[in-house]
Amino acid sequence: RDGSDRQIPGGSRRSDDGRVVSGGSRPLADMKTLPLPDFAGLPIYNYEKFMLPIFFSRGCVAKCTFCAETQYWKKFRLLPVERVLDTIGHAVREYGIRSFQVNDSLMNGSHPLLEQICDGIIERGYDVHFTGYCRLEKRFSTELIRKLARAGCSTIAFGMESGSQKVIDLMQKHVEVENYERILRDAHEAGIEIFVCIIVGFPGETWMDFFKTMKMLLKLHRYLTEVNLSVLVIPEGTPLATQMAQFGVEYHYDGSNHDWQLADRSNTPRIRYLRYRIMRGLWKFLKKKRVSPTGGDFEYGALAGA
């Protein structure tokens, strides 16, 4: 902190006189020159799981209306294949760790890159395990899924979001619901554990759309290890937040970003909470286990007795 107007590209700072000084944007990092991650001195063995983060890319190929990933990362960029493989080898040699969390927005943003990484892991003989996110898109082939399993992919989290194609189109995910079953079945048969993310209450979701998601969950639950269920919030900076009028959203800010409703009152916080409870109850009945909440009980707990 100082009284000057010194700017820090890519960040903001507060000067001694209380002013916020914005540094503006900074050039995106050159993926080819990024150094290998250095975890020396960190208590990595004190955590419950001996797992390190790794990434194959930055950004996302999609521009879903509810998601801030594209706004945050600006553009989709790939790490060179050899750098990914060298990072894995370095972690195995230096730290003795063979489990990795792929922190990409999605692992299959580039199918050719993902296949090359899998080939490299297999060819180098790395005995590793990794998990990450993927899109449920048609071009995610059976062959690539099987190769992922051979390379050590143990778990994939998929953004299923809804079983209604109408809602998926409103989200601008550019995937087809009709492909979900084949991809999830392929991953299950390859021995990969499957997590799916479901969003309840997207603007335009009717009760019929909601029941389509329930029907899909009934149909596909045998392939699934866990459901990550959330009630839609509207993150700042997302297309949904900047185009709320186009979605018919009325926003009544109360200190959180879940207190919104449609102008026709067909989608309110109480309705979304009810749908969340129904969906959670269905999953518990099907699998005899609890759902992973990321926006249900925590954010909507105050409505439980309303």
Side-chain angles (χ1 to χ4, degrees), residues 1-16 19-27:
R1 292 178 58 177
D2 56 43
S4 72
D5 290 331
R6 181 171 58 87
Q7 297 181 337
I8 303 175
S12 299
R13 53 181 291 276
R14 188 180 297 278
S15 62
D16 284 343
R19 292 177 298 109
V20 175
V21 180
S22 175
S25 61
R26 65 170 176 80

Side-chain angles (χ1 to χ4, degrees), residues 199-200 229-235 251 254-260 269-270 272-273 276-277 280 293-304:
I199 296 176
V200 173
L229 180 61
S230 63
V231 182
L232 181 77
V233 296
I234 304 179
Y251 195 69
D254 69 345
S256 68
N257 58 356
H258 74 258
D259 186 30
W260 60 271
R270 291 171 187 262
R272 294 193 294 277
Y273 179 68
Y276 166 82
R277 296 283 297 206
R280 186 182 67 172
T294 59
D297 286 341
F298 178 74
E299 295 184 2
Y300 284 76
L303 297 176

Side-chain angles (χ1 to χ4, degrees), residues 113-302:
L113 174 70
L114 184 57
E115 185 161 15
Q116 291 171 34
I117 291 171
C118 290
D119 288 337
I121 291 173
I122 295 170
E123 290 171 3
R124 294 192 183 193
Y126 291 148
D127 180 16
V128 296
H129 302 278
F130 59 94
T131 69
Y133 288 87
C134 286
R135 270 168 61 84
L136 283 163
E137 55 187 7
K138 182 179 181 179
R139 63 195 182 106
F140 200 16
S141 68
T142 303
E143 292 73 20
L144 180 53
I145 292 172
R146 290 173 178 171
K147 187 171 290 188
L148 266 168
R150 293 201 303 273
C153 181
S154 56
T155 305
I156 296 178
F158 290 101
M160 189 172 84
E161 321 305 3
S162 174
S164 166
Q165 188 63 54
K166 186 194 79 176
V167 174
I168 292 299
D169 292 342
L170 288 171
M171 293 176 173
Q172 296 183 19
K173 290 187 67 69
H174 301 293
V175 296
E176 294 75 37
V177 170
E178 65 184 22
N179 296 315
Y180 287 4
E181 182 174 7
R182 192 273 301 169
I183 297 169
L184 297 178
R185 182 182 63 246
D186 285 347
H188 175 74
E189 291 179 350
I192 298 173
E193 291 195 339
I194 303 170
F195 284 51
V196 295
C197 302
I198 295 177
I199 296 176
V200 173
F202 193 84
E205 178 192 78
T206 64
W207 279 102
M208 183 58 68
D209 296 314
F210 173 73
F211 290 138
K212 287 181 179 179
T213 304
M214 291 187 65
K215 180 180 178 180
M216 177 163 287
L217 190 59
L218 278 165
K219 184 178 182 181
L220 303 180
H221 78 273
R222 63 186 181 275
Y223 304 134
L224 310 180
T225 302
E226 188 59 276
V227 168
N228 193 316
L229 180 61
S230 63
V231 182
L232 181 77
V233 296
I234 304 179
E236 295 183 8
T238 60
L240 182 56
T242 59
Q243 304 168 25
M244 285 192 290
Q246 297 182 28
F247 288 90
V249 172
E250 291 183 345
Y251 195 69
H252 304 283
Y253 188 72
D254 69 345
S256 68
N257 58 356
H258 74 258
D259 186 30
W260 60 271
Q261 62 186 16
L262 295 189
D264 62 6
R265 306 299 188 270
S266 63
N267 190 335
T268 66
R270 291 171 187 262
I271 290 174
R272 294 193 294 277
Y273 179 68
L274 175 59
R275 291 178 184 173
Y276 166 82
R277 296 283 297 206
I278 293 172
M279 187 73 71
R280 186 182 67 172
L282 174 63
W283 174 252
K284 291 174 67 176
F285 171 77
L286 291 172
K287 305 293 279 192
K288 309 302 181 187
K289 60 192 298 188
R290 65 186 297 272
V291 73
S292 297
T294 59
D297 286 341
F298 178 74
E299 295 184 2
Y300 284 76

